[in-house]
Amino acid sequence: MMKKNCIMKEYVDQIKAYPLLSADEEKDLADRIAHNDKAAKIRLVQCNLRLVVAIVQRYSVPEGAEMDLVQEGNIGLMAAASKFRSSFKTRFSTYAFYWISQYITRYIRIKNPLITLPYRKEELLRRIHIAREFLVSHFKRDPEVHEIAVYLGLQDSLVKEVIQYAQTVQNISSIDNAVDSESDDCISDLLPDYTYSPDIYIQKEGIREYVFSILSRLPKNEQLVLYYRYNLGNLDKRLSLREIADILCVSQECVRKTERRAMKRLRDTEYQFRDEDCMREYIVV
């Protein structure tokens, strides 16, 4: 542990050799970077390495893990240097802060799973891994769950449950995670948005117009029954026979017969309406 602390201290001492830049120097380097000057990019990065260390110190991480975060932060720093332009009217440190923090937090999310195993299951899983390694060396093949259970003196079902639980936890991923190490896109950016689709909207509107054009040929009482029964007016819910009967001041049996008669008319070739799915498009359960 002391060795790792010494590495961090030695690294900080080394990057202090690079002087801080003035605003004018940053703008000059940004203009050169815009013209693919690699030397300008390297200098801008080197002179801001201390910024990464300062940001890393904001995070509470296990002792000795700082250098891993510094490495990720430096990658973010290089990404910021590539995109920084003098026209942004801001200091580079302000602009780079977001990029550095983004790469560091992404690394932390990837290294630390969203769901951790309970202590007892984690300890049991460790024993299972040790037993598996021993049995692999003994049998020269992957052991069966039953063999691991016998070796540990446990039930087969318990060993199988812990292994499956661990695999499930490992496969869980946050939608905020990056797609890959070379992309800034998150998994959530690739998920389709079903909240609104012009194609589906136009299709439903076409079906709606078709349904109402067919209903207009029915007698008025049959139109009303289907209107309430199938919620064609997009009300809070589709009404029951009793509710429709109260509205029309008739009996439930009368409403039932009217609905049956209307649906029979719609199925007749005279009305050219054989697909009841069109009606169901507007049912609200």
Side-chain angles (χ1 to χ4, degrees), residues 159-187:
V159 174
K160 185 176 181 180
E161 176 189 353
V162 172
I163 293 176
Q164 290 179 343
Y165 187 86
Q167 291 175 345
T168 302
V169 169
Q170 291 174 355
N171 291 331
I172 294 177
S173 178
S174 171
I175 62 174
D176 294 326
N177 287 346
V179 176
D180 53 55
S181 58
E182 298 180 357
S183 174
D184 295 329
D185 296 329
C186 299
I187 297 176

Side-chain angles (χ1 to χ4, degrees), residues 239-256:
L239 301 184
S240 64
L241 295 177
R242 178 185 294 275
E243 291 171 327
I244 298 174
D246 292 340
I247 294 175
L248 301 181
C249 298
V250 295
S251 65
Q252 289 183 223
E253 182 63 18
C254 180
V255 173
R256 186 184 64 80

Side-chain angles (χ1 to χ4, degrees), residues 83 143 146 164 172 229 237 262 267 285:
K83 300 177 181 295
H146 172 70
Q164 290 179 343
I172 294 177
R229 187 64 173 150
K237 63 176 182 178
R267 293 190 186 97
V285 180

